């Protein structure tokens, strides 16, 4: 009996440790995806559509790898409609865009696409809080 309880306890502890994964911090991230959590910091006056100073602080939930990037707002140059954010890192580009076809109660659905030399090499979908 004691052996059975001990095995169940070990299994529960193992699942709990595995389920946590890596996090940016104890709070809720700005973008909460399936693979990545990302915080964005907009360093321009409120309402400035052409902001060239946006910080990206992200973490891969599986590996714990962190990435800090500088980026800018993407917008339509004719209508000035907001289209998302782009962050360049050498030949890599990280693009966060709203998926206007999907809304949820907890926020808007957004897509993260990672490009290498203009080819998509990774994607994620999540909620922007």
């Amino acid at each position: 009996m004691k052996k059975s309880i001990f095995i169940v306890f070990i299994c529960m502890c193992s699942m709990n440790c595995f389920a946590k994964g890596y996090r940016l911090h104890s709070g809720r991230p700005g973008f909460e995806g399936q693979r990545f959590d990302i915080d964005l910091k907009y360093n321009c006056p409120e309402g400035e559509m052409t902001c060239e100073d946006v910080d990206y602080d992200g973490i891969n939930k599986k590996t714990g790898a962190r990435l800090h990037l500088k980026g800018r707002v993407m917008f339509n140059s004719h209508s000035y409609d907001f289209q998302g954010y782009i962050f360049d890192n050498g030949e890599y580009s990280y693009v966060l865009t709203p998926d206007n076809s999907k809304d949820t109660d907890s926020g808007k659905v957004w897509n993260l696409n990672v490009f290498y030399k203009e080819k998509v090499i990774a994607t994620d979908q999540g909620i922007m809080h």
Side-chain angles (χ1 to χ4, degrees):
M1 178 68 173
K2 287 184 179 182
K3 188 175 182 180
S4 308
I5 293 172
F6 179 73
I7 290 171
V8 170
F9 177 75
I10 294 298
C11 289
M12 288 175 60
C13 289
S14 298
M15 287 188 294
N16 188 36
C17 292
F18 179 77
K20 286 185 179 178
Y22 293 93
R23 300 198 43 92
L24 278 171
H25 46 69
S26 60
R28 184 166 34 174
F31 172 81
E32 191 170 8
Q34 297 167 4
R35 296 179 177 165
F36 301 94
D37 283 345
I38 302 166
D39 276 334
L40 300 176
K41 184 178 177 194
Y42 194 83
N43 300 309
C44 294
E46 189 174 334
E48 185 173 322
M49 289 300 298
T50 60
C51 183
E52 298 280 331
D53 189 12
V54 181
D55 293 331
Y56 171 115
D57 187 23
I59 190 168
N60 181 315
K61 291 180 177 181
K62 184 177 178 183
T63 67
R66 290 179 173 264
L67 185 61
H68 181 77
L69 300 170
K70 288 284 195 181
R72 63 188 181 280
V73 169
M74 294 187 316
F75 64 95
N76 180 311
S77 61
H78 299 290
S79 65
Y80 285 92
D81 288 338
F82 173 78
Q83 294 180 323
Y85 302 96
I86 186 166
F87 305 88
D88 294 320
N89 185 21
E91 295 188 66
Y92 294 88
S93 293
Y94 297 73
V95 180
L96 271 168
T97 54
D99 184 342
N100 294 323
S101 67
K102 299 178 183 176
D103 283 333
T104 67
D105 292 337
S106 59
K108 286 205 170 243
V109 175
W110 280 58
N111 298 308
L112 169 67
N113 291 301
V114 181
F115 295 86
Y116 177 70
K117 295 184 178 179
E118 299 183 17
K119 180 182 176 188
V120 176
I121 61 167
T123 61
D124 196 5
Q125 189 171 67
I127 303 297
M128 186 69 78
H129 299 286

